């Protein structure tokens, strides 16, 4: 399914590469797959990218603008878990209240 560019499958494979789950750890490849998946509509990938940019993780520089873009994409999507939705809202609130960098 990942080879057919199914966004949900790409997101899962991206996370697997980032954490080395069932494959060699390759953060660069994982983040690239998350980017493709997020642009194809995966809310899970958008959530992972938003968190990465908000916290400066997985090789991403901390970037408030990009974090907000991806996290706002997640909030507008109905297919995320309640836990991820709550975490997304917390991160967006934190980004809104932080001093401008």
């Amino acid at each position: 399914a990942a080879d057919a560019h199914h966004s949900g499958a790409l997101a899962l494979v991206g996370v697997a590469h980032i954490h080395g789950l069932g494959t060699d750890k390759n953060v660069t490849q994982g983040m690239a797959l998350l980017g493709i998946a997020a642009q194809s509509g995966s809310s899970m990938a958008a959530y992972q990218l938003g968190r990465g940019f908000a916290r400066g993780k997985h090789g991403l520089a901390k970037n408030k603008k990009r974090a907000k873009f991806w996290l706002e994409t997640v909030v507008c999507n109905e297919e995320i878990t309640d836990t991820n939705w709550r975490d997304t809202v917390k991160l967006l609130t934190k980004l809104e209240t932080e001093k401008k960098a």
Side-chain angles (χ1 to χ4, degrees), residues 22-100:
T23 187
D24 292 334
K25 186 173 183 174
N26 186 332
V27 175
T28 302
Q29 179 68 24
M31 294 308 292
L33 291 171
L34 283 180
I36 293 166
Q39 291 174 358
S40 297
S42 169
S43 60
M44 196 251 284
Y47 170 72
Q48 293 293 329
L49 288 174
R51 284 183 54 198
F53 281 118
R55 297 176 176 159
K57 293 201 148 224
H58 306 304
L60 297 175
K62 202 169 185 183
N63 185 313
K64 182 178 176 178
K65 185 177 179 178
R66 287 185 175 182
K68 285 178 65 178
F69 172 82
W70 287 116
L71 293 171
E72 286 171 350
T73 300
V74 173
V75 170
C76 295
N77 198 313
E78 297 176 1
E79 65 181 54
I80 63 169
T81 66
D82 288 342
T83 302
N84 288 356
W85 188 85
R86 283 191 297 273
D87 186 45
T88 299
V89 171
K90 277 188 206 176
L91 282 169
L92 280 170
T93 302
K94 181 180 177 185
L95 290 169
E96 290 293 331
T97 57
E98 284 180 349
K99 292 182 182 177
K100 290 194 176 200

